[in-house]
Amino acid sequence: MKSLHISTTINGDPVEFICDPDEPLLDVLRNRLHLTGAKEGCGTGDCGACSVTLNGRLVCSCLVLGAEAQRAEITTIEGMAEGDQLHPLQRAFIDGAAFQCGVCTPGILVAAKALLEKNPSPTDEEVRYWLAGNLCRCTGYDKIIAAVQVAAAEMRSA
Amino acid sequence: MVKVKLWGTLRHWTDGQAEVEVEAATFKEVLDRLSELYPGLAPQIRRGVSMSLDGVIYREAWFQEIKPGQEVVLMPYMQGG
Amino acid sequence: MALDQAKREFRQVGTRPNRPDGVDKVTGRAQYGADMTAPGMLTGAILRSPHAHARIVSIDTSAAEAIAGVRAVVTGVDFTPQEDNFLRDVQENCMARDKALYDGHAVAAVAATSPAIAKAALKAIKVVYEVLPHVTDVDAAVKPGAPIVQAGRALENVPAGMSENVTNACEFGHGDLDAGFAKADLVIERSFKTAATHQGYIEPHACLASFTADGKADLWCCTQGQFFVRTLCSAIIGMEASQLRVTPSEIGGGFGGKTTVFIEPVALALSKKSGRPVKIVMTRDEVFKATGPTVSSSMDVRIGMTKDGRITAGEANLRYSGGAFPCGTCDMGAQAAFAAYDVEAVRTYGWNALTNRPKEAAYRAPGAPQAIYAVESVVDELCQKLGLDPLAVRLKNAAHKGTLSSYGPTFNEIGLEATLEAAKAHPHYTAPLGPNQGRGLSCGFWFNFGGNTCVSLNINTDGTVGVTEGNPDIGGSRASISLMAAEELGIPYENIRTIVADTNSLGYNDVTDGSRVTFSVGLATIKAARDAIAKMKARAARFWGIDEEAVDWVDGAAVPAGPNAGKFPPLTLAEIAATSPQTGGPIAGHYEVNVDGAGVSFGVHLVDVEVDPETGATKVLRYTVFQDAGKAVHPDYVEGQMQGGAVQGIGWALNEEYIYGADGRLQNPGFLDYRIPVASDLPNIETVILEIPNPGHPYGVRGVGETPIVPPLAAIANAVSRAAGVRLTELPMSPPRILKALKG
């Protein structure tokens, strides 16, 4: 297998990497670029812990090939805060104790941000269905839903 | 003398007695006397037993003092998740 | 370490400040097991048995070793056999020796310069198996003629004449059963089955081992207990504990499943052989097949009740299987089964049988959810048949101070009645129900314990404080511990930083289990703070030229104890700290203890469900958890434990199960087919925290982590049974099972 040379943009930065043709984007991010915020919980697209956006679309990076990043724009959890300013979702998750172990948190934050960009005023039920692809085993989701709503309200009034 | 209550399984090695009396002032002495008097109990004691003293569970505190009249109950060594 | 006598007004304990690791965890910066790297690191990978039960005739690794980039291969013969049964089981579960005992059992491992080469090397290993007959069902395993998983493993307490697969037996209880049942107006006997479930932590096991040529090693891993990992790995590898330093990473969930080792000794062996750091990260498939799910169970319960709702006698037979190795979890189930009840005659029997399944690991209150599910189901059915209110019946029979418990001791202060009263008073209990809906209720119980604990508390010269503790933070414990240190020292929470230490930085700490951390580490932190305060008071006494006994500590400062001590302005912690180099040197507090007095814990869960008669699907409509926390140090994280435990129990009740095929292979080793609850399955989980101080802790704290998984199984089963109009007796109550029950 011949390695591929990929030019892409990650969190606004130009990035070049080489990868195998069958190498998942998640492995590229974690192992080649040391962006370990996206987590591998399953490797089969069932848990959402590796969520990133690719050209604005929410994807499981374990189901996307590194090669698909060519000339694309990728955002990961590492790009969510602006400098030392946390995103309202990040602040709401801390303030609302919306995580316990925190391993699903990067994926949930990336997914929730994608939701609020499409739908700034979701109902609780809409939040629950949108996040149904992001597994959390610690919290029972209760405080996660509440934190997303707190952030949504803040973003609407901003 | 301390009266020690045993759980059902252990009674096979005390001729069916649910409660036995031993000369002991500490948890460790209870375990040592029981192993001497009822050698069949020794394997379980080696694997681990906890002691309830007036309803407070001591997992392995050998030097825990036992005062006259206190309720002493043996329990399997506590585990958790 | 009794409850502080003086009734105190808490200033910080009971508030909800942000957790110290919050920013790291929302920015992706927190480092979990798989996030560690080392220069020159190799990728480790494990070859696993495709057979449920097979003799390993030979393993030929020569072709794998010949592949360029393969730096080490190990098999069972690379590990020295252990004398001790416990250690041998742990070791052989990490790497099979003579027999593969379950689908997914490790048989060989490689370390290579890339994941692709490691994968190719696994394919090149030739294992010759002699496939043996297997058994995966607990009832089948105890029948005459069943395949024997391991011979000669029965403890002395197993009666002669039973199947060789039966390894453990136990019996608890008191009173005259026959007389008790004779007094009953109605006796119901039912049999139940529960599937094995998995803790389902989102982070797969991961570790990085680095062995040096002089026999020292470092191990980074996600674990609930770095010290226990050191104990197990140093014994298995055959090295002194002092030469192995284990550093815990952030941990992505454990729930009991990360209280032992699976890949860590393998990574160490590969690193030792290759002379390079080796990282092993499990796939999700490996996590399901080869870590530690719960026991599966088959149970018979018989309970007698009078017409007015008095339980006269109870009996339970619990047959558990903890997989291919002996397992004592049946002891815990048999003790817990009837713990909520004040019953004159009660008897429980527990058995463990070997099956060709992975070795059980702890999962929140191990052994209790199954047994209590069976008992609470029968109690509920008795209430239905006798036309009695299920909450009133629980209150009538509730264990209380002075009750001879079903497991032996007489209870002192316990909070069950108060918890039931809280449920009775809650609007949820009387809210109207619609068609196809049912309400279920269950009590739950867990022991809780304390254990070995060390804390160091360092007073920094700028007036801030560092707390060093030895228990991985699985749900916000650094926040709770910082709060208790702040409370005791009288300084702001923000001035304290609590960290989790490696194995060289503190004495032995027991694993993060048994709902012990906020209770035990909190207690040791309070004691370490008091130790530091005593030292700071001594410095103040020297400043003032008065006796140490004449100094008090108030609001973060030393003050003279009353007018007779002299008149001096307060010396704050910051002032004493700043001058500490000139007044005798650094100031630190320490405390080392094996804590007892955790106090048992009760909870009550209330749930409404709707069962769809067309599809058999169950929707959870409303859920309320009532639990005694003693004192909720950080209420957000107490609620979090109650909510998370309840939802794990909902999954166990409705969806989750290990499904084995006729070939003995696991059919659903992934999150698609092993379905844990997702956000859209659930309503909000309401919580009601009761605070009945635990007499065994200075602030009255009681562990809260495990009890919440105990009641949901029966609460949901009772709700579903009432909604469906038919008693369900097997978990999970998946749609096909409910449809089958509806069709009779």
Side-chain angles (χ1 to χ4, degrees), chain B residues 30-78:
Chain B
V30 167
L31 298 181
D32 290 348
R33 292 302 92 73
L34 285 174
S35 295
E36 286 161 23
L37 293 168
Y38 308 98
L41 296 177
Q44 176 66 50
I45 289 173
R46 269 198 302 277
R47 280 197 299 277
V49 289
S50 296
M51 173 185 71
S52 166
L53 194 60
D54 280 350
V56 178
I57 299 167
Y58 293 86
R59 214 152 61 121
E60 51 198 345
W62 276 1
F63 302 145
Q64 180 59 42
E65 268 184 68
I66 299 167
K67 297 195 187 81
Q70 283 191 302
E71 180 198 61
V72 178
V73 186
L74 288 195
M75 297 170 63
Y77 184 73
M78 288 286 113

Side-chain angles (χ1 to χ4, degrees), chain A residues 43-106:
Chain A
T44 50
D46 299 315
C47 79
C50 64
S51 297
V52 301
T53 61
L54 179 78
N55 294 330
R57 207 183 79 180
L58 181 65
V59 294
C60 286
S61 60
C62 70
L63 297 183
V64 174
L65 293 173
E68 293 178 76
Q70 178 75 339
R71 287 187 295 278
E73 296 227 358
I74 290 163
T75 60
T76 71
I77 186 65
E78 286 89 350
M80 198 162 177
E82 292 196 20
D84 63 354
Q85 291 301 303
L86 294 181
H87 187 277
L89 276 163
Q90 292 174 310
R91 267 189 282 110
F93 269 57
I94 297 175
D95 292 344
F99 53 95
Q100 287 173 34
C101 82
V103 81
C104 70
T105 308

Side-chain angles (χ1 to χ4, degrees), chain C residues 673-714:
Chain C
D673 298 315
Y674 182 98
R675 194 176 180 289
I676 72 172
V678 304
S680 55
D681 293 336
L682 298 161
N684 291 340
I685 308 293
E686 295 175 61
T687 55
V688 177
I689 301 173
L690 286 88
E691 293 191 325
I692 302 157
N694 173 12
H697 186 280
Y699 295 173
V701 170
R702 196 182 291 283
V704 296
E706 293 175 287
T707 300
I709 205 172
V710 182
L713 283 60

Side-chain angles (χ1 to χ4, degrees), chain B residues 5-13 40-44 47 52-61 64 71 73-81, chain C residues 155-157 169-173 224 255-256 331-332 335 362 364-366 404 407-410 412 446-447 449 451-452 510 513-514 594 596-597 706:
Chain B
K5 284 208 266 180
L6 306 171
W7 77 87
T9 326
L10 300 187
R11 297 170 198 166
H12 299 296
W13 292 279
L41 296 177
Q44 176 66 50
R47 280 197 299 277
S52 166
L53 194 60
D54 280 350
V56 178
I57 299 167
Y58 293 86
R59 214 152 61 121
E60 51 198 345
Q64 180 59 42
E71 180 198 61
V73 186
L74 288 195
M75 297 170 63
Y77 184 73
M78 288 286 113
Q79 294 169 324
Chain C
L155 293 178
E156 77 289 346
N157 55 31
C170 64
E171 179 193 336
F172 295 88
Q224 289 176 243
F255 316 108
D331 284 6
M332 315 304 285
Q335 289 179 91
R364 273 188 150 140
L404 177 60
Y407 59 90
T410 303
N412 42 36
W446 187 243
F447 294 99
F449 55 73
N452 293 290
D510 276 327
D513 69 353
N594 189 348
D596 286 308
E706 293 175 287

Side-chain angles (χ1 to χ4, degrees), chain C residues 398-640:
Chain C
H400 49 80
K401 186 177 179 174
T403 293
L404 177 60
S405 72
S406 58
Y407 59 90
T410 303
F411 283 126
N412 42 36
E413 301 290 348
I414 53 172
L416 177 58
E417 281 174 329
T419 313
L420 284 163
E421 291 288 359
K424 194 177 164 188
H426 195 278
H428 184 170
Y429 194 60
T430 47
L433 288 168
N436 299 317
Q437 296 181 358
R439 176 165 299 141
L441 162 77
S442 174
C443 299
F445 162 85
W446 187 243
F447 294 99
N448 291 350
F449 55 73
N452 293 290
T453 309
C454 308
V455 169
S456 286
L457 185 149
N458 297 306
I459 310 289
N460 303 324
T461 51
D462 67 352
T464 62
V465 169
V467 177
T468 305
E469 53 114 339
N471 280 91
D473 179 349
I474 53 177
S477 58
R478 277 168 292 198
S480 306
I481 288 154
S482 295
L483 270 173
M484 285 184 268
E487 182 77 44
E488 198 62 32
L489 293 167
I491 64 171
Y493 168 84
E494 293 71 25
N495 288 7
I496 294 170
R497 181 162 184 189
T498 298
I499 64 128
V500 180
D502 66 68
T503 51
N504 256 53
S505 303
L506 284 174
Y508 190 89
N509 282 269
D510 276 327
V511 171
T512 294
D513 69 353
S515 303
R516 72 176 219 90
V517 174
T518 307
F519 168 74
S520 303
V521 180
L523 181 148
T525 300
I526 292 164
K527 291 291 188 173
R530 289 180 185 176
D531 184 35
I533 287 169
K535 291 168 183 167
M536 290 188 284
K537 279 158 63 177
R539 301 287 170 98
R542 291 287 296 277
F543 265 110
W544 296 331
I546 64 175
D547 285 346
E548 289 174 26
E549 293 74 41
V551 181
D552 272 350
W553 189 263
V554 179
D555 294 342
V559 294
N564 293 343
K567 214 170 153 127
F568 305 101
L571 266 173
T572 65
L573 181 145
E575 289 165 339
I576 296 169
T579 55
S580 60
Q582 291 80 38
T583 61
I587 300 170
H590 299 275
Y591 201 70
E592 292 83 27
V593 64
N594 189 348
V595 192
D596 286 308
V600 297
S601 166
F602 289 93
V604 175
H605 290 202
L606 205 51
V607 59
D608 298 348
V609 303
E610 183 169 319
V611 174
D612 182 339
E614 299 290 317
T615 63
T618 299
K619 179 87 186 157
V620 179
L621 303 171
R622 184 170 184 183
Y623 204 106
T624 312
V625 179
F626 304 84
Q627 195 177 322
D628 173 18
K631 175 71 202 169
V633 175
H634 192 308
D636 278 344
Y637 294 110
V638 174
E639 291 161 4

Side-chain angles (χ1 to χ4, degrees), chain C residues 125-293:
Chain C
I125 296 173
K126 295 182 193 75
V127 185
V128 178
Y129 294 101
E130 176 199 342
V131 177
L132 301 169
H134 64 270
V135 60
T136 54
D137 177 75
V138 61
D139 291 323
V142 299
K143 289 201 173 116
I148 303 304
V149 179
Q150 291 195 55
R153 296 305 307 272
L155 293 178
E156 77 289 346
N157 55 31
V158 176
M162 299 196 80
S163 161
E164 263 198 287
N165 285 327
V166 178
T167 61
N168 301 53
C170 64
E171 179 193 336
F172 295 88
H174 57 258
D176 183 339
L177 274 188
D178 291 340
F181 282 116
K183 282 185 213 162
D185 293 308
L186 179 64
V187 175
I188 291 181
E189 182 167 8
R190 286 273 189 195
S191 296
F192 298 87
K193 286 197 97 153
T194 67
T197 58
H198 195 273
Q199 300 82 355
Y201 32 81
I202 306 301
E203 180 201 29
H205 297 256
C207 70
L208 171 58
S210 181
F211 220 104
T212 54
D214 61 354
K216 293 191 191 66
D218 268 287
L219 179 66
W220 295 268
C221 60
C222 54
T223 176
Q224 289 176 243
Q226 64 273 39
F227 293 90
F228 194 50
V229 168
R230 183 184 64 178
T231 301
L232 295 174
C233 289
S234 58
I236 289 170
I237 299 297
M239 63 191 296
E240 290 172 4
S242 62
Q243 299 307 307
L244 175 60
R245 183 170 71 151
V246 183
T247 306
S249 66
E250 292 296 329
I251 177 171
F255 316 108
K258 291 176 183 166
T259 55
T260 183
V261 294
F262 300 103
I263 53 176
E264 294 81 356
V266 179
L268 281 163
L270 288 168
S271 178
K272 190 177 181 183
K273 207 162 180 175
S274 64
R276 301 261 293 264
V278 174
K279 176 152 117 181
I280 299 182
V281 180
M282 274 190 166
T283 62
R284 180 56 54 182
D285 179 273
E286 288 180 292
V287 171
F288 275 113
K289 282 181 176 165
T291 63

